[in-house]
Amino acid sequence: MVSYPTKEAAMTEPTAHPRGLHIPAHRRPRVLLLGNGLNRVYGGASWAGLLEKINRTPYTTEQVKALPFPLQAVLLSRDHVDVSLQDLQQELTQCQVHPWLAEQLHRLLALPFDCILTPNFTYEIQCALFPDFLDHPQRFLRHTPAVPRAEQHFMLHTYYALPLERGEVPLFHVHGEARCPDTVILGHYYYGNLLFCCDEYLTHRAPELRYPLWPGSDGLEALSWLDYFILGDVYSLGFGFDTSEMDLWWLLCRKKRERAPHGGLWLYEPARRSAETKQALLEAYQTHCISLGFQDPRGEDYKAFYEAAVKDLTRRLKDEAGQEPAVPGGA
């Protein structure tokens, strides 16, 4: 009988992927950036709902809407974001996935992505594959050789290895995970510290201090999700790139300026009249915005949009299979 360590011990277990993570030289990695949008189609956890649960003030979530998202959490929790998340840990670590969401996730995971990034704290992706995931999550927990053990704060090098038919695919919770509240990025203080860590890694700790300026014969070892984001073709779905997400906006700008051959970012999001300036800013950072003809969606429009987006991603990746598109130039 297998003896599993406790959940508390899991994040300090010196687990390591036996083969490491590898970015091949002959093509750019394909990366899925999956946000919370699909979860919301059938009433999954929302930002407003989270704020209501951590609210310790007489203010309503409507009254603080003018503030950037991270500062809303700071104000409503009276700057006790970490304690509030610990109180919600049990609620946020439930493994219930709506059948429609599970179907869409299975379709996405069947695509030839080399890495999955999610800013979500929760575990819909893992639970769609393994309904008992949260019973023994440490079965899948890994970290790269950049750190001696799974991280307890900023999860730059810690991931879950998803055993798919084509092999293991790393899933990084880029803003932390609910199971370990100390890893969660919520509030400007935490965003600022994460941004510092990203800059430090890309400046000093990226492979061989910098990325190769031309593809080598053997590729390179990926030590962090940052390597995938900077070098890869990133396809974003269900993540709106709100302007308060300062770490990912900074990384988008950093990706554009990378001198080594690198991929682009394709953002699937319905067009909105209220977000025209945000789209213009994304395009200034060389993001490809794909609306699939949807504009100012309501209700059932979101379900139709995400289904269309999954189909378009399937077509796009099949068309690109075995072919390396032209590499966008860096500054």
Side-chain angles (χ1 to χ4, degrees):
M1 181 176 179
V2 178
S3 176
Y4 292 106
T6 65
K7 289 184 179 180
E8 289 73 18
M11 290 302 286
T12 58
E13 283 293 301
T15 53
H17 195 296
R19 294 183 298 278
L21 299 174
H22 186 74
I23 293 179
H26 65 278
R27 67 169 178 83
R28 294 188 296 264
R30 303 181 184 96
V31 182
L32 175 64
L33 174 60
L34 190 62
N36 195 49
L38 278 77
N39 299 350
R40 295 291 301 129
V41 169
Y42 280 97
S46 68
W47 175 254
L50 176 62
L51 289 179
E52 289 173 359
K53 290 170 183 174
I54 68 173
N55 192 357
R56 302 179 176 194
T57 75
Y59 297 106
T60 67
T61 55
E62 188 66 25
Q63 288 175 300
V64 302
K65 281 181 66 174
L67 294 174
F69 283 170
L71 289 181
Q72 293 177 27
V74 172
L75 172 58
L76 294 179
S77 69
R78 296 188 184 274
D79 198 20
H80 291 291
V81 173
D82 50 348
V83 176
S84 299
L85 287 172
Q86 289 172 3
D87 293 342
L88 291 173
Q89 183 179 12
Q90 184 173 356
E91 181 177 340
L92 293 173
T93 52
Q94 301 297 316
C95 215
Q96 297 176 348
V97 183
H98 189 279
W100 177 87
L101 175 59
E103 179 184 353
Q104 303 311 310
L105 291 174
H106 276 276
R107 292 177 184 274
L108 288 168
L109 294 173
L111 300 179
F113 289 112
D114 301 291
C115 177
I116 301 169
L117 310 178
T118 181
N120 298 351
F121 315 143
T122 49
Y123 303 96
E124 288 81 8
I125 299 172
Q126 295 96 317
C127 292
L129 291 173
F130 308 102
D132 65 343
F133 168 79
L134 285 167
D135 293 337
H136 304 292
Q138 59 278 356
R139 289 178 298 176
F140 309 98
L141 187 68
R142 304 287 188 273
H143 64 81
T144 73
V147 290
R149 57 176 53 85
E151 294 149 294
Q152 299 182 48
H153 294 287
F154 305 106
M155 299 181 70
L156 297 181
H157 315 286
T158 302
Y159 63 97
Y160 288 100
L162 302 182
L164 305 178
E165 287 187 8
R166 62 184 180 277
E168 288 191 343
V169 174
L171 164 63
F172 289 88
H173 285 267
V174 301
H175 286 165
E177 56 170 317
R179 195 171 62 86
C180 306
D182 286 345
T183 66
V184 172
I185 307 301
L186 195 62
H188 266 193
Y189 178 79
Y190 302 98
Y191 272 92
N193 285 343
L194 174 61
L195 185 53
F196 173 83
C197 293
C198 292
D199 182 48
E200 182 183 53
Y201 174 78
L202 291 171
T203 302
H204 303 294
R205 298 184 64 189
E208 299 179 0
L209 303 182
R210 62 176 175 81
Y211 295 120
L213 296 179
W214 51 84
S217 58
D218 299 323
L220 59 85
E221 184 177 27
L223 298 177
S224 169
W225 64 265
L226 298 170
D227 301 326
Y228 286 102
F229 187 92
I230 296 294
L231 297 178
D233 283 329
V234 181
Y235 299 89
S236 177
L237 181 63
F239 182 68
F241 264 91
D242 186 88
T243 51
S244 65
E245 303 279 3
M246 61 182 182
D247 58 327
L248 290 170
W249 278 96
W250 183 87
L251 284 169
L252 191 55
C253 182
R254 173 64 177 77
K255 181 180 179 73
K256 176 185 176 182
R257 285 162 168 72
E258 173 59 44
R259 294 176 61 226
H262 61 279
L265 188 140
W266 284 259
L267 174 65
Y268 284 84
E269 186 178 33
R272 292 181 176 85
R273 293 182 181 88
S274 61
E276 290 178 354
T277 53
K278 186 184 76 171
Q279 180 175 331
L281 182 58
L282 285 162
E283 290 171 349
Y285 287 153
Q286 298 181 346
T287 297
H288 309 274
C289 297
I290 304 171
S291 67
L292 300 174
F294 287 79
Q295 184 166 351
D296 295 319
R298 297 181 179 181
E300 283 291 310
D301 294 342
Y302 285 101
K303 179 172 180 281
F305 169 76
Y306 287 123
E307 289 175 350
V310 172
K311 289 180 181 178
D312 190 76
L313 268 171
T314 302
R315 176 196 59 78
R316 187 180 298 270
L317 266 64
K318 282 185 177 179
D319 289 346
E320 293 178 357
Q323 301 179 9
E324 181 67 7
V327 177

